[in-house]
Amino acid sequence: MFHTYFKIAYRHLRNNKFFTLLNVMGLGVGMAVAIIIGIWIWEEVSFDKYHDKYERIACVMQNHTFEGVVETWWSQPKQSAAVLRDDYGSHFEAVVMTSFNNVNTLRKGENLLNKNGIFSEPGGPELLGLNVIHGTRSVLDNPDAILVSETTARNFFGVENAVGEVLNLNEENQVTIAGVYEDLPKNSSYADMDFMGSWLLYEQGLPEWVSWGNSWFQTLVEVKEGKTFAEVSTAIEKLKQERMSEAEGLRFKPELFLHPMSQWRLHSEFENGVSAGGRITYVRSFALIGFIVLLLACINFMNLSTARSEQRAREVGIRKTMGSRRGQLIGQFYSESLLLAFGGGLVGLVLVTVLLPFFSQLADKEMIVQWNSPFFWLLCAGFCVLTGLLAGSYPALYLSSFAPVNAMKGVMKKGAVNNRPREVLVVLQFTVSVVLIVGTIVVFQQINFAKNRPIGFSNEGLIGLNLRSPELDKRFDTFREDLLSTGFIEEVAKSEAPLTSTYVTNSGLSWPGKAEGFQDEFVTLRVSHEFGETMGWNIVEGRDFSREFATDSMGFVINKAAQEYMGLTDPIGQKIKWGEDETYTIVGVVEDMITQSPYTPVKQTIFFIDYERSQYATLKMKPTAGTEETLAAVEKIYTKYDPVNVFDYRFLDEMHEQKFGEEQRIGRLAGFFTILAIFISCLGLFGMAAYVAERRSREIGIRKVLGATIYSIVQLISAHFLKLVIVALVIATPIAYWLMQNWLEDYVYRIELSWWMFALAGGLATGIALLTVGLQSLRAAVANPLDAIRKD
């Protein structure tokens, strides 16, 4: 029986090649989009799942309260790990203190490379699930031992087994490779970790005064089986508060909690101390887009199948007269939809093969199809069956419901009643398309709005360098003079970090008028005297730092946000006390500069002179200098003062641009999926227009014989579809407005929705629809009218 179903279905599809092709193409594109989105989502939700203890690992985080606003930090003081082990050990299988994953230099002879790495207590390799393929991972109790990735081993020695080899680490330490671990998967939090060094070695370089108030490190834990993260979080909540000074503990109310590894990737954002999502928003949005695009393809199938119902009515009538039950007819029509679905699946897989490299580049991640996985093929088969059942449900139930007598006589429902379901589906298609177009426009406008936001300084021609050599750091003034003498560099300055990445905060400042119990927090940046001139910041009150004033060593330059935060109407000359013994004087106020997220308000920031803890140099190129010549000259001088470290530079404008990278990638992906969704809708519209033109061919022929123009015939066929698109615009506009208004609320610095965004989306949808229908209408209008009139 099933063989007969599929045989008849195949013959029917073969005899209607045009509509079969439209359906297969529509389903194929829809399934390709769904598969690509599925691969993207799988890469996201499977992040860090390489670890066999994935469900029990967490990062210890903390909430701090500043004037009623809770800030969430991923960092911890270095004392926290020992306390967790000693006082709360019953809750944990392991507690490990580590540094953050940062760039370090590794050298073997003349081979010098910058590599990312962390320094960890002995339990780190096991906690992070390193698969050591040579040597052993239980070595970090030795400060001179190091573990390296297999790629790093090959980079230096050409082989993976480099156990026993010696490397120079940051030029100050010789370390012996005690183990080589397998490269971590690309979709893991530590995918770019090239080595793991000993915490004992790292700790030797820390100042003795590092205390509970210095949250510079990361604490990772593995909870015991049977313990929940919520239970352990409650137990350790007051750990830090109880060990800080009473004043600090009461003022900032630090509260510790565990953030599971399973949420690091998708739930990384916090708002007022509560998880506020993160990339999970993109996952949900893309899942919805994938479903919608596939649904549009299924709607095409439903529309084209039911539109041609009159042609199949006699077939249904004869079958029912010959004794076919409705269930058998439903099976017949489902067979057709399943054949189309599997045909669409094959087209979809071909499109995935062709398009996936492009989308991988667009998404900036390695997206691969698991061709060798039986699960993948079972999933594809199930996907095709589900799509076939979904696409064929309405046609199968609709066509099989025809009464045999009426079907054989051709007496079917006419006019609006018969057309209304198809009209509803067309309206639904273009409603979705318009919403997607509006969404794409708003996303790109929001990104451009943030990109065009005044940054408060001139980042053109700024080159950033890490000063890794202590010798270069000590001889900075001479280094600066040599750079200025090249004729390519206008100014050079030091700072604690790039101006585009100022995340160090401090508190405990006092100033005239500060309210009793005010919980202050400032972004702070240590700089050299020429920093302002190098960055081109704008002084609005007072003056810049100057070497002519010895007192500037105890001076502050603050931004406008800090002035407002402190409530100072006349800030210049105000004395600011920091701690018990140090008093600073405000010498200048600068315009707010975007030094963190471009989507949030500028934070209150203080700049002050400190050469000892500033290991980042910013060089300002002269406007007339060429980039290649400048870099060559700078590298020559850099190598003169630091012959051992890699000349590693970055342009600050590119660093600022990277802040928009994620949003731009998501926007481009959404834009391409929107284009494909519109393409699918247009395929269906094209097929519907072709059917209408075919059905009305005799009418069109008679009209032409009686003198109708091509324009009037095109207008005749297009007018009905245009009305449906207009209805879709009316429905889509409030839906799109509500969705995008909610999305924009996640951004403090955001655009306002404007009428032109909806008008542009409506114009694009209308134009595309008219072009699609118009082409088919024109084809019918220019056909020979005698052929149409003679048709049986």
Side-chain angles (χ1 to χ4, degrees):
M1 182 175 67
F2 290 108
H3 173 73
T4 303
Y5 284 165
F6 283 105
K7 186 176 181 179
I8 296 173
Y10 172 74
R11 287 175 179 173
H12 173 74
L13 297 177
R14 184 187 61 190
N15 293 333
N16 294 272
K17 295 182 178 64
F18 176 72
F19 290 99
T20 299
L21 179 63
L22 286 181
N23 276 321
V24 169
M25 285 300 298
L27 288 173
V29 173
M31 294 174 78
V33 170
I35 291 171
I36 289 173
I37 289 178
I39 294 172
W40 185 88
I41 290 175
W42 175 253
E43 290 293 320
E44 292 292 326
V45 301
S46 64
F47 224 80
D48 287 322
K49 284 190 175 179
Y50 76 94
H51 203 302
D52 57 354
K53 298 179 181 178
Y54 165 80
E55 297 293 343
R56 289 163 45 201
I57 294 175
C59 176
V60 183
M61 299 179 65
Q62 57 178 312
N63 287 326
H64 272 235
T65 303
F66 299 93
E67 283 304 294
V69 177
V70 181
E71 290 191 3
T72 301
W73 299 351
W74 288 75
S75 55
Q76 291 294 321
K78 76 181 185 71
Q79 294 84 356
S80 62
V83 174
L84 287 169
R85 278 192 296 265
D86 296 341
D87 296 357
Y88 301 89
S90 60
H91 295 285
F92 304 106
E93 288 289 348
V95 177
V96 175
M97 177 66 64
T98 76
S99 68
F100 285 94
N101 195 10
N102 290 318
V103 176
N104 295 261
T105 59
L106 292 174
R107 172 190 286 277
K108 179 65 176 179
E110 296 299 318
N111 191 5
L112 175 67
L113 298 173
N114 286 338
K115 291 291 186 179
N116 289 312
I118 69 171
F119 295 86
S120 168
E121 291 183 321
E126 182 175 356
L127 186 69
L128 292 181
L130 300 188
N131 180 23
V132 174
I133 53 181
H134 301 290
T136 177
R137 63 186 182 185
S138 303
V139 295
L140 295 188
D141 53 352
N142 179 359
D144 299 325
I146 189 173
L147 300 172
V148 300
S149 68
E150 55 184 315
T151 296
T152 302
R154 283 196 299 268
N155 289 157
F156 282 103
F157 307 103
V159 294
E160 292 177 4
N161 190 357
V163 174
E165 297 286 354
V166 177
L167 293 172
N168 283 340
L169 174 60
N170 294 328
E171 295 302 324
E172 300 176 0
N173 305 285
Q174 280 196 340
V175 291
T176 302
I177 298 176
V180 178
Y181 58 86
E182 183 180 0
D183 290 345
L184 290 168
K186 294 293 184 183
N187 62 335
S188 65
S189 299
Y190 290 91
D192 61 344
M193 187 181 73
D194 302 308
F195 74 88
M196 182 181 285
S198 171
W199 175 262
L200 296 174
L201 178 64
Y202 183 76
E203 197 173 26
Q204 293 173 10
L206 296 177
E208 293 182 2
W209 47 262
V210 174
S211 66
W212 281 97
N214 303 108
S215 296
W216 297 350
F217 317 100
Q218 186 168 249
T219 304
L220 304 176
V221 299
E222 178 192 339
V223 300
K224 285 184 178 293
E225 289 191 25
K227 298 286 185 179
T228 66
F229 291 118
E231 175 188 352
V232 179
S233 294
T234 302
I236 67 173
E237 184 179 45
K238 303 298 183 183
L239 180 152
K240 182 177 177 181
Q241 189 176 139
E242 292 170 353
R243 287 161 178 81
M244 296 180 70
S245 67
E246 184 175 353
E248 287 184 313
L250 292 176
R251 186 163 70 240
F252 303 116
K253 302 181 178 65
E255 296 180 349
L256 272 58
F257 67 95
L258 301 185
H259 190 50
M261 179 183 267
S262 59
Q263 297 185 20
W264 289 359
R265 176 71 171 179
L266 300 181
H267 300 270
S268 59
E269 295 180 6
F270 291 81
E271 185 175 331
N272 210 25
V274 178
S275 178
R279 292 182 66 87
I280 188 64
T281 303
Y282 297 136
V283 169
R284 291 167 179 162
S285 299
F286 278 154
L288 180 60
I289 289 174
F291 173 76
I292 287 173
V293 171
L294 187 59
L295 181 62
L296 293 179
C298 293
I299 288 174
N300 277 356
F301 179 84
M302 296 176 188
N303 263 347
L304 293 176
S305 296
T306 55
R308 304 181 69 250
S309 59
E310 291 180 28
Q311 293 182 4
R312 307 202 65 181
R314 184 164 297 177
E315 174 192 344
V316 171
I318 292 174
R319 285 178 174 275
K320 284 195 171 183
T321 301
M322 297 297 292
S324 291
R325 295 186 298 274
R326 187 182 182 190
Q328 292 174 315
L329 291 170
I330 290 174
Q332 176 63 59
F333 292 122
Y334 267 134
S335 298
E336 293 179 14
S337 65
L338 286 172
L339 275 179
L340 283 171
F342 276 94
L346 291 176
V347 172
L349 288 175
V350 171
L351 289 174
V352 168
T353 304
V354 173
L355 295 176
L356 197 59
F358 167 73
F359 280 104
S360 294
Q361 184 178 5
L362 199 64
D364 193 26
K365 67 164 58 187
E366 187 178 359
M367 298 170 62
I368 57 175
V369 180
Q370 303 292 336
W371 299 111
N372 297 325
S373 170
F375 176 74
F376 171 76
W377 290 108
L378 285 173
L379 192 64
C380 286
F383 194 45
C384 289
V385 170
L386 181 63
T387 303
L389 294 177
L390 176 63
S393 58
Y394 180 57
L397 298 174
Y398 175 71
L399 295 175
S400 65
S401 66
F402 293 167
V405 175
N406 291 336
M408 292 185 68
K409 289 180 179 180
V411 184
M412 309 303 299
K413 292 185 286 185
K414 303 286 186 181
V417 175
N418 190 35
N419 292 331
R420 188 158 295 130
R422 294 196 296 275
E423 292 173 350
V424 169
L425 292 176
V426 170
V427 169
L428 176 60
Q429 278 188 313
F430 274 87
T431 298
V432 170
S433 297
V434 171
V435 171
L436 289 175
I437 294 172
V438 171
T440 302
I441 292 172
V442 172
V443 168
F444 279 108
Q445 284 297 308
Q446 172 64 17
I447 293 171
N448 289 331
F449 182 69
K451 289 178 70 173
N452 295 329
R453 179 183 179 186
I455 62 174
F457 65 98
S458 176
N459 66 358
E460 292 294 329
L462 294 181
I463 305 171
L465 298 173
N466 281 302
L467 305 179
R468 303 188 186 281
S469 167
E471 187 63 25
L472 190 155
D473 193 41
K474 292 176 185 177
R475 301 176 62 190
F476 175 76
D477 285 341
T478 310
F479 173 65
R480 172 175 170 269
E481 291 299 328
D482 282 358
L483 288 172
L484 296 177
S485 68
T486 63
F488 298 115
I489 300 298
E490 189 171 306
E491 191 52 89
V492 184
K494 289 178 67 179
S495 59
E496 186 177 8
L499 187 59
T500 53
S501 305
T502 59
Y503 294 106
V504 174
T505 61
N506 278 287
S507 57
L509 282 73
S510 300
W511 59 89
K514 180 182 179 181
E516 184 72 24
F518 186 84
Q519 301 162 317
D520 62 288
E521 183 197 30
F522 294 86
V523 174
T524 58
L525 188 66
R526 295 168 167 85
V527 300
S528 65
H529 287 86
E530 293 77 23
F531 183 77
E533 185 178 349
T534 302
M535 306 308 302
W537 63 17
N538 300 313
I539 301 287
V540 293
E541 289 189 60
R543 60 175 176 82
D544 203 342
F545 291 122
S546 174
R547 292 178 183 267
E548 297 179 4
F549 297 91
T551 54
D552 278 5
S553 62
M554 297 299 291
F556 276 167
V557 170
I558 64 174
N559 65 354
K560 288 287 292 181
Q563 180 185 352
E564 296 171 4
Y565 180 77
M566 300 166 80
L568 301 176
T569 56
D570 187 18
I572 305 305
Q574 291 283 2
K575 304 294 182 182
I576 309 296
K577 190 174 182 181
W578 192 356
E580 297 297 327
D581 304 319
E582 296 180 332
T583 300
Y584 291 79
T585 303
I586 297 177
V587 301
V589 179
V590 296
E591 286 283 1
D592 289 338
M593 295 175 286
I594 299 176
T595 64
Q596 298 181 352
S597 171
Y599 299 103
T600 59
V602 174
K603 289 192 174 183
Q604 54 275 10
T605 306
I606 292 174
F607 304 89
F608 61 100
I609 301 296
D610 187 336
Y611 282 77
E612 292 185 3
R613 293 178 60 184
S614 300
Q615 281 84 38
Y616 192 85
T618 303
L619 289 61
K620 183 178 183 180
M621 292 172 52
K622 288 185 176 181
T624 57
T627 302
E628 291 184 8
E629 297 89 339
T630 301
L631 291 175
V634 171
E635 183 176 11
K636 183 177 180 180
I637 294 173
Y638 180 89
T639 305
K640 169 186 171 183
Y641 285 89
D642 185 1
V644 296
N645 283 303
V646 177
F647 175 61
D648 187 18
Y649 67 90
R650 295 189 68 187
F651 287 97
L652 265 66
D653 58 347
E654 294 177 355
M655 295 169 68
H656 180 72
E657 184 72 18
Q658 282 187 335
K659 295 182 178 183
F660 306 96
E662 190 62 35
E663 285 79 7
Q664 286 177 321
R665 282 190 292 273
I666 295 299
R668 285 193 291 265
L669 283 171
F672 276 105
F673 291 143
T674 298
I675 291 172
L676 293 176
I678 295 170
F679 173 75
I680 292 172
S681 298
C682 289
L683 276 181
L685 202 60
F686 186 80
M688 289 289 291
Y691 170 72
V692 170
E694 178 186 345
R695 187 164 168 263
R696 302 180 68 176
S697 59
R698 180 169 294 180
E699 175 191 350
I700 293 169
I702 294 172
R703 285 177 179 272
K704 287 191 71 177
V705 169
L706 294 176
T709 63
I710 292 176
Y711 173 76
S712 65
I713 293 174
V714 171
Q715 187 180 42
L716 173 70
I717 299 176
S718 301
H720 178 66
F721 291 103
L722 180 60
K723 291 177 184 177
L724 299 180
V725 174
I726 291 173
V727 172
L729 294 179
V730 173
I731 296 173
T733 299
I735 296 173
Y737 181 88
W738 179 76
L739 288 173
M740 299 320 298
Q741 191 65 38
N742 285 343
W743 179 75
L744 286 171
E745 286 179 0
D746 291 337
Y747 298 93
V748 177
Y749 189 80
R750 60 178 180 261
I751 63 171
E752 294 294 331
L753 293 177
S754 177
W755 65 269
W756 69 263
M757 300 175 185
F758 301 91
L760 177 59
L764 286 172
T766 304
I768 293 169
L770 285 176
L771 180 63
T772 303
V773 175
L775 288 173
Q776 189 61 47
S777 303
L778 183 62
R779 180 168 172 252
V782 298
N784 188 338
L786 295 180
D787 293 338
I789 295 173
R790 289 170 180 164
K791 186 184 296 184
D792 290 336

